[in-house]
Structures are given as C-alpha cells and as structure tokens.
Amino acid sequence: MTKKHRGRIQAQGNGVEKSVTWSQDEPLSREQGKTLLQQLKGQLSEKEHAERAEQFEQAERYIAGANEIPAPERRTFQNRKTKDVRVDIEVLAGRAFIAVAFLVVLYFILN
C-alpha cells in the first residue's frame, strides 16, 4: 500500500546522482528532514560535498524555516558557479517539514 507522505532529497550534477527518500503514513518532521539531509551528505565524497556545501546549508535553512510544505513541491538549490551542481528537495505526496509539536497534537487527536 502506498504511503500518504513521500519525497526525496537529491544531490545532482557533475556526474553525481544520489538521493535519500521517505515514504510514511505521517508527515515528515523538520528533524527527520534534517536527518535525511545528513544521510545524503554521508553518501558523497569530500569533493562532491565541497561542491555542494553552500547548497546543503541553503537546504537546511529551508527545512528549518518550512511550515508544513504540501505536495507537489520541488525546491532546487543550485551552485551558481557551475549551473549543474545542485541539491533538490521534492515533496511528491502529502506534507513535509512540520514541527514535532504538531505531530504530538495530531497523534492525540487521532488516537
């Protein structure tokens, strides 16, 4: 059965195509989003990470400041020097980057 909330975070360009995904019944929290971003960083070599350091910082600020982003949403953080190297965030279904406090309230409402 397809989960309600799905998406991915990708590192693209200059020969790199790596991603982490989520697929779950509850909306992705900001903290979970930050964890996925760290997992993606861990998949890259030092050089690949260095090429995207600023874009990872921008993506992290985006996640931290997001307030329950609904699908479909695609945000690209592009290295302006190369135009090819980038970090993408895609919310493909449901919602993502909600505050944990909201999840706790939602849990009590539904149970």
Side-chain angles (χ1 to χ4, degrees), residues 29-86:
S29 72
R30 290 181 192 144
E31 290 306 312
Q32 290 170 318
K34 290 178 187 178
T35 298
L36 289 174
L37 199 60
Q38 293 302 318
Q39 289 174 2
L40 180 59
K41 287 180 188 179
Q43 293 181 22
L44 303 177
S45 70
E46 287 184 35
K47 180 182 181 253
E48 292 166 344
H49 181 269
E51 289 177 326
R52 294 163 183 80
E54 183 179 333
Q55 290 67 47
F56 275 115
E57 289 176 16
Q58 292 169 346
E60 189 165 349
R61 283 194 304 271
Y62 174 75
I63 291 170
N67 187 17
E68 194 175 345
I69 303 299
E73 173 71 16
R74 179 185 166 122
R75 186 63 56 113
T76 296
F77 304 94
Q78 195 167 30
N79 184 323
R80 296 183 195 277
K81 294 177 187 173
T82 68
K83 302 289 185 194
D84 179 42
V85 172
R86 66 187 192 275

